[in-house]
Amino acid sequence: MFRLLLIIKLLLLSITTGWTRNIEISILEEGSRQAIPYANVLIVNHGKGSISNANGLVKMEVPSDSFVLRISALGYSTKEITYEKGNENIRDSVFLSIEFSELDEVVISGTLEERTIMKSPIPIEVYHIGFLRKNPSPSLFESLQNINGVRPQINCSVCNTGDIHINGMEGPYTMILIDGMPMVSGLGSIYGLSGIPSALIQRIEIVKGPASTLYGSEAVGGLINVITQSPLQAPRLVIESYASSWLEKNLDAGLSFKAGKQNSLLGINYFHYGNPVDNNGDGFTDLTLQHRISVFNKWNFARKNSKEFSLAARYVYEDRWGGQMNWSSDFRGGDSIYGESIYTGRFEFFGKYDIPLRKMESAIQFSFSDHRQNSAYGNNLFNASQDISFLQYRIIGNKGPHQFTSGAALRTTWYNDNTFLTQSETGADSLHLVNLPGIFLQDEIKINASNRVLVGSRIDHHPQHGWIYSPRLNYQWGKDEKQTLRAGIGNGFRVVNLFTEEHAAMTGSRSIIIPEKLLPEKSWNAQVNYRRNFFLTNWNGSMESTVFYTLFSNKIMPDYFSVPDAIVFSNLKGTAVSRGVGINSDWNFKNRLKISLGATFMDVFRIEDGEKKQQVLTEHFSGVFSISYSFLKWGINLDYSGSIYGPMDLPLQEHDFRAPQSPWYSIQNIKISKTIKGKWSVFAGVKNLLNFVPPAYSIMRPFDPFDQQVSDPVQNPFGYRFDTSYVYSSFQGIRTYFGMRYQL
């Protein structure tokens, strides 16, 4: 610890200044001369920037030497202006033309290097905070429901735990990153997704398909990289609050400030829902009650040559419960009234330090997370702790047409709980320690202006499974910005974490059976992506299509059917396949109408003993849509968004009377917002406009949650057991909401 503090102090001593004049710029729309609020302003090669206010005005310090100013705003062309050396203050007006292309969007998830979407050989989808605000949600989990091919899946009807499916593959195959760090995994993935407030997010980058070559275990189905707000670009003060007709209350507050020459961002999120509702009459809460607070602080330290040094920390505490309507904390852990109560405390610390090398980019990234959980699922107590540390060094260099990215990473996991999974041979709790070191290397070859090839490989060593290899090969063709073709094949791997695999086993309704030692899963994925962009006078747009195919070996399968009151985990003796087609289209019109449509057709199945079986809780079709229109004259924005899902197979008990498949259903939302005097905005809307909820019988035998009468041959002739795993959507029906936002 002393050495770490000494290094930090030495780094702080290297901070330099040298800014002697100010600049004041009005950012306006070309033609109409209307102000463009919240435009990004960056001093190129200095790492310092700001954001225009609601009136399109920005003021900031600039160097006395010559510099280049880059101004960008969503929906407008990016402009760079060079200002010469001098000591006088600058006043200027900058006009941006309407251009709805997002081709120059900078991403980092595909190659660990900042580059535009069109120059990335890996297909990446980007969603900004503006997209998330079309349907305000208190957490990342709910915010992803309108992204094509991505489905937040609720896995428990009582405590509402969930995970994220990408192209039909379950949550354990999706890696969740925060600023490129694997922060949410293992134990933390169960409730960690609900603890990431949407106000913390600047943008979300999504890679569909294996990314194990760069990110290691868990990135088999894809990854979601949450890029947090930057202290350099965040508004000075933001306060947003809204409440729903279900009495949900959410408050977000953000403050950016300077301490000396350092920039800092402080964010606080508070969410509370304490109103038990039982609209379906099964005696259980339709929505888990939650009380959550999250505090986030991020620092950017000024350095020479725009090199980055950032530190961030976050703490989350949550108290949630669901169960029978007459449950209270007095019954926690008892067997008279059923409730699932979870106390969660989580601390995260992460950062990045760019190493000042002349001809190469080099950086150290590090993170640490501590997750504590105290749970009672009925009378089944589950207490667990998990610490994850991550250290990565990467270097990027160029030689001729080659661009090399290489690095080494070490991920260490400490885990303990009170179940048999961590007990030693003597029966006592035993801390599980796993070190997972890895090295990776990739070479991106620019054949010519239109063709690029990316070759990469990674080697990891697991103490139980030995050496694990993850190669990849990608090809990109793009003659100009109008179209691009990408093709790739890659290998992914995943080391199992049973608590993440099947949370239903911890609810008390089913036990876990592991008949054999589980081997790490491996997959091969191939995909072809084609994007066509259109640039016309009155509208711009794009169409994108992706064909994907993933073949699994050693796939770990949860068997719900062999033993009615248990889940049996074993490696699949046959093969498992996820294949399909995803289509996205975006249309942006000069009259401020925006339309986005997406659809995914997929077939996810396994073949065992010559028999094809569909994967449980996986739809064959899903679609999303979003329609937005701005009435500039009145300062009003209208957003209508939604998703639609086809039938999916559901987990059943023997002789189950419930439907074996879910119906077609759609979740639709509408929002109207108005800006008042630039700084204030009010918004209101309706969620789940069609009032869709699953059937009331989704929880099996809710009147006997402890299975006290399960053996009664008269009342229960088929031996049904209490079960909460028959769930595919939230029981929360239609509700209205109203909110206000202040931004300085």
Side-chain angles (χ1 to χ4, degrees):
M1 179 58 71
F2 174 78
R3 291 182 178 179
L4 177 61
L5 293 174
L6 180 60
I7 292 173
I8 293 176
K9 289 181 179 180
L10 291 174
L11 293 173
L12 291 175
L13 289 175
S14 68
I15 297 168
T16 62
T17 59
W19 305 70
T20 60
R21 54 178 173 165
N22 297 313
I23 190 171
E24 179 179 322
I25 293 181
S26 295
I27 303 174
L28 307 171
E29 181 179 296
E30 192 172 69
S32 68
R33 301 181 66 89
Q34 293 178 339
I36 301 177
Y38 319 128
N40 292 315
V41 180
L42 178 69
I43 303 175
V44 179
N45 296 327
H46 285 275
K48 182 175 180 179
S50 186
I51 188 169
S52 66
N53 63 18
N55 298 315
L57 184 66
V58 62
K59 300 178 182 179
M60 58 190 297
E61 291 181 331
V62 293
S64 56
D65 293 333
S66 62
F67 64 93
V68 177
L69 205 65
R70 179 184 297 155
I71 302 101
S72 62
L74 190 61
Y76 295 88
S77 60
T78 299
K79 181 170 290 188
E80 290 189 354
I81 303 174
T82 301
Y83 292 94
E84 300 301 329
K85 181 178 180 180
N87 294 315
E88 296 182 355
N89 294 332
I90 302 171
R91 297 189 66 180
D92 199 0
S93 295
V94 176
F95 296 90
L96 302 183
S97 60
I98 296 176
E99 181 180 319
F100 295 101
S101 170
E102 297 179 359
L103 306 180
D104 58 351
E105 181 75 59
V106 176
V107 294
I108 62 172
S109 299
T111 59
L112 294 182
E113 180 203 18
E114 290 189 352
R115 61 175 58 199
T116 62
I117 287 180
M118 289 299 291
K119 293 183 180 180
S120 171
I122 311 297
I124 301 176
E125 298 177 18
V126 181
Y127 299 89
H128 282 267
I129 183 64
F131 176 86
L132 305 181
R133 286 177 181 155
K134 293 181 180 182
N135 181 32
S137 300
S139 68
L140 172 68
F141 181 77
E142 297 178 37
S143 298
L144 297 174
Q145 62 181 318
N146 288 329
I147 296 178
N148 186 31
V150 178
R151 183 169 70 86
Q153 164 65 33
I154 296 176
N155 294 326
C156 175
S157 302
V158 179
C159 65
N160 291 168
T161 180
D163 56 31
I164 305 297
H165 290 203
I166 294 183
N167 286 344
M169 286 183 277
E170 302 109 312
Y173 301 94
T174 301
M175 172 171 276
I176 308 294
L177 308 168
I178 299 181
D179 287 344
M181 297 287 96
M183 301 297 295
V184 183
S185 61
L187 181 67
S189 65
I190 300 302
Y191 300 107
L193 293 173
S194 62
I196 302 176
S198 57
L200 178 68
I201 302 170
Q202 176 181 329
R203 70 179 187 271
I204 297 173
E205 299 179 4
I206 297 178
V207 177
K208 298 175 182 177
S212 293
T213 301
L214 289 183
Y215 294 96
S217 178
E218 297 180 32
V220 179
L223 64 88
I224 298 174
N225 192 1
V226 179
I227 309 298
T228 62
Q229 296 277 358
S230 168
L232 296 172
Q233 298 180 345
R236 186 62 55 89
L237 175 66
V238 175
I239 300 176
E240 181 177 311
S241 178
Y242 68 88
S244 77
S245 57
W246 276 52
L247 302 186
E248 299 163 288
K249 296 176 284 291
N250 187 76
L251 172 66
D252 286 301
L255 174 67
S256 63
F257 59 93
K258 298 189 68 173
K261 295 298 180 180
Q262 324 315 323
N263 294 278
S264 181
L265 173 64
L266 176 65
I268 299 175
N269 170 258
Y270 177 78
F271 178 77
H272 181 256
Y273 171 67
N275 178 43
V277 173
D278 180 24
N279 287 333
N280 61 13
D282 63 358
F284 274 68
T285 53
D286 289 348
L287 181 66
T288 302
L289 286 80
Q290 302 171 54
H291 195 184
R292 180 174 62 246
I293 186 168
S294 173
V295 180
F296 174 80
N297 189 212
K298 186 175 185 179
W299 288 81
N300 277 44
F301 300 93
R303 298 178 59 206
K304 289 182 178 181
N305 301 321
S306 70
K307 295 297 182 180
E308 180 181 347
F309 177 34
S310 63
L311 296 173
R314 188 171 73 101
Y315 178 76
V316 181
Y317 176 78
E318 182 184 70
D319 176 3
R320 68 161 57 198
W321 75 269
Q324 292 180 292
M325 290 291 289
N326 56 343
W327 186 90
S328 69
S329 58
D330 295 334
F331 299 101
R332 193 176 195 268
D335 59 359
S336 58
I337 297 178
Y338 189 89
E340 299 186 2
S341 171
I342 302 97
Y343 305 141
T344 302
R346 181 175 178 83
F347 172 75
E348 301 169 349
F349 176 77
F350 54 97
K352 178 183 177 182
Y353 180 77
D354 286 341
I355 298 175
L357 299 179
R358 289 185 178 181
K359 297 183 179 181
M360 293 183 289
E361 296 182 25
S362 180
I364 295 175
Q365 294 174 288
F366 50 89
S367 68
F368 174 81
S369 65
D370 174 78
H371 190 99
R372 308 282 164 167
Q373 181 172 320
N374 182 335
S375 317
Y377 303 97
N379 58 352
N380 181 18
L381 301 179
F382 179 78
N383 298 317
S385 62
Q386 178 178 269
D387 292 336
I388 299 177
S389 67
F390 179 81
L391 179 64
Q392 177 173 276
Y393 172 75
R394 63 133 171 96
I395 188 168
I396 300 175
N398 296 277
K399 186 176 179 63
H402 299 269
Q403 177 169 292
F404 297 97
T405 300
S406 61
L410 174 63
R411 181 175 176 179
T412 303
T413 302
W414 298 265
Y415 179 79
N416 194 16
D417 62 31
N418 63 328
T419 71
F420 73 93
L421 297 174
T422 57
Q423 287 181 353
S424 63
E425 295 181 357
T426 62
D429 282 349
S430 176
L431 178 67
H432 279 212
L433 172 63
V434 176
N435 287 306
L436 188 62
I439 57 174
F440 57 90
L441 172 65
Q442 72 176 22
D443 179 15
E444 183 175 338
I445 308 167
K446 185 177 180 180
I447 300 175
N448 52 45
S450 303
N451 296 274
R452 296 169 184 260
V453 174
L454 178 68
V455 182
S457 183
R458 182 186 181 101
I459 303 176
D460 293 86
H461 185 269
H462 191 276
Q464 279 79 44
H465 306 304
W467 297 101
I468 305 174
Y469 301 91
S470 305
R472 83 188 312 179
L473 174 64
N474 293 85
Y475 167 75
Q476 180 189 17
W477 171 85
K479 192 173 183 180
D480 51 36
E481 290 190 346
K482 291 185 178 181
Q483 57 183 334
T484 183
L485 174 70
R486 299 178 177 95
I489 183 171
N491 175 266
F493 76 94
R494 184 174 68 90
V495 179
V496 67
N497 181 304
L498 277 181
F499 185 81
T500 305
E501 297 307 317
E502 190 48 67
H503 176 70
M506 299 300 173
T507 65
S509 60
R510 295 184 184 232
S511 59
I512 290 179
I513 297 177
I514 308 174
E516 59 188 13
K517 181 180 178 181
L518 296 177
L519 301 175
E521 293 185 336
K522 294 185 178 181
S523 71
W524 281 98
N525 172 275
Q527 62 176 253
V528 178
N529 170 272
Y530 176 75
R531 175 166 177 158
R532 180 71 166 88
N533 302 295
F534 304 90
F535 306 97
L536 300 173
T537 303
N538 294 319
W539 60 274
N540 291 327
S542 67
M543 295 195 68
E544 185 174 13
S545 179
T546 303
V547 179
F548 58 89
Y549 185 95
T550 304
L551 178 67
F552 289 92
S553 61
N554 293 336
K555 185 173 174 63
I556 298 169
M557 301 297 301
D559 181 0
Y560 291 86
F561 304 101
S562 299
V563 183
D565 61 344
I567 303 174
V568 181
F569 285 98
S570 60
N571 288 111
L572 181 66
K573 299 302 187 290
T575 59
V577 173
S578 172
R579 61 188 181 187
V581 178
I583 303 171
N584 285 308
S585 64
D586 295 280
W587 309 100
N588 304 283
F589 300 87
K590 195 171 183 179
N591 64 356
R592 303 290 179 173
L593 174 65
K594 299 181 180 181
I595 301 175
S596 296
L597 301 172
T600 299
F601 303 86
M602 56 191 175
D603 187 21
V604 184
F605 61 92
R606 70 182 187 274
I607 298 178
E608 193 170 16
D609 298 327
E611 183 180 0
K612 178 181 177 181
K613 296 181 179 180
Q614 296 296 323
Q615 180 172 283
V616 176
L617 295 172
T618 303
E619 67 281 5
H620 285 287
F621 171 83
S622 65
V624 295
F625 68 88
S626 173
I627 303 173
S628 301
Y629 188 78
S630 298
F631 301 87
L632 291 180
K633 183 177 180 180
W634 300 289
I636 293 177
N637 294 308
L638 184 65
D639 296 295
Y640 179 43
S641 60
S643 54
I644 183 171
Y645 302 102
M648 62 187 80
D649 290 349
L650 301 174
L652 301 174
Q653 299 186 28
E654 190 174 3
H655 305 297
D656 205 318
F657 64 88
R658 297 172 296 182
Q661 286 190 329
S662 63
W664 284 86
Y665 71 96
S666 178
I667 305 297
Q668 300 183 19
N669 317 284
I670 190 167
K671 175 195 172 187
I672 185 170
S673 58
K674 177 175 175 55
T675 302
I676 303 174
K677 295 183 179 180
K679 299 178 182 178
W680 289 91
S681 63
V682 295
F683 55 90
V686 181
K687 288 176 176 283
N688 197 356
L689 191 62
L690 303 180
N691 195 30
F692 174 81
V693 291
Y697 56 66
S698 295
I699 298 179
M700 177 66 84
R701 292 180 60 82
F703 51 85
D704 186 23
F706 296 99
D707 288 335
Q708 295 174 342
Q709 302 170 8
V710 70
S711 301
D712 189 329
V714 177
Q715 300 297 328
N716 190 25
F718 295 108
Y720 297 144
R721 294 180 176 273
F722 174 69
D723 190 5
T724 65
S725 60
Y726 184 97
V727 58
Y728 51 90
S729 181
S730 172
F731 290 110
Q732 191 177 21
I734 187 171
R735 67 270 190 200
T736 58
Y737 63 89
F738 175 80
M740 300 182 67
R741 175 183 174 86
Y742 175 79
Q743 179 163 310
L744 179 64

